Amino acid sequence: MSKFKFELQNVLEIRNFEQQQAEGELAKCIAVETEINKNLEVIAMQYAALKQQMKGSLDFSDMMSQSQYSKLLDYQKEQLLTQLAQAKIETEEKRKILTECMKKTSALEKMKELQYEDFKLEMKRKENRRIEELSSIKSFSEN
């Protein structure tokens, strides 16, 4: 009995590899976004702590240093928001690439499944023909 061989198996393996690479790239982009969001949370906590400190202070030099620190936090926040916007754009691009890779891979896998079903049907037909031949030989030899 012959074995099933998908003619485009090498292409399918390459597409699977490309898909895995795209998944890895997307995961990296998502990790960058997560890190930026964590940094934004840290700045928000620092900003809240600064506001808490400013409530009780009446010293002008403390208020000036706290104001400067507040400006620094605002600047850092703006930088992180810019980075986050860029990271989101990059993540969306990687997501589109992954979607395309998945479409190509699934198309080849579907083709492989269809060819395998055709192969099984052909094997069944051959087996039925052999059984019929054996039956006819057996009935011929009995007569």
Side-chain angles (χ1 to χ4, degrees):
M1 187 173 200
S2 62
K3 289 186 176 182
F4 173 71
K5 184 172 193 284
F6 183 54
E7 296 168 359
L8 299 174
Q9 185 64 36
N10 291 338
V11 176
L12 179 60
E13 289 170 3
I14 291 170
R15 294 279 165 83
N16 280 327
F17 178 74
E18 289 173 349
Q19 182 177 335
Q20 290 172 349
Q21 293 292 98
E23 288 170 351
E25 292 295 320
L26 179 60
K28 287 178 188 176
C29 288
I30 291 172
V32 168
E33 276 188 48
T34 303
E35 185 65 29
I36 292 170
N37 282 323
K38 284 180 184 178
N39 290 339
L40 284 169
E41 288 175 14
V42 168
I43 288 176
M45 287 188 289
Q46 290 173 342
Y47 197 74
L50 177 65
K51 286 216 177 232
Q52 189 67 27
Q53 285 178 341
M54 289 177 75
K55 280 186 180 179
S57 178
L58 295 175
D59 186 18
F60 182 73
S61 63
D62 284 346
M63 293 176 83
M64 286 302 292
S65 65
Q66 290 171 349
S67 175
Q68 291 296 327
Y69 186 58
S70 175
K71 288 180 183 178
L72 174 65
L73 290 177
D74 286 340
Y75 175 76
Q76 289 175 343
K77 179 183 79 171
E78 290 301 319
Q79 291 294 322
L80 286 173
L81 288 174
T82 302
Q83 291 175 10
L84 182 61
Q86 183 63 34
K88 285 185 181 280
I89 290 169
E90 196 171 322
T91 300
E92 195 55 39
E93 289 173 2
K94 299 295 181 181
R95 190 170 278 121
K96 286 179 184 176
I97 291 170
L98 176 60
T99 303
E100 285 301 312
C101 287
M102 290 173 75
K103 285 180 185 177
K104 291 176 183 177
T105 302
S106 66
L108 280 174
E109 287 174 347
K110 184 72 173 174
M111 185 184 299
K112 181 178 179 178
E113 288 173 19
L114 291 173
Q115 285 185 8
Y116 183 67
E117 291 300 318
D118 288 345
F119 173 79
K120 287 191 330 187
L121 283 173
E122 184 61 29
M123 288 296 109
K124 227 173 217 184
R125 285 186 197 121
K126 285 182 179 179
E127 186 177 332
N128 287 339
R129 275 189 242 134
R130 285 187 196 134
I131 291 172
E132 287 175 10
E133 287 174 5
L134 289 174
S135 300
S136 64
I137 290 172
K138 185 178 179 183
S139 66
F140 182 74
S141 64
E142 288 177 356
N143 291 338

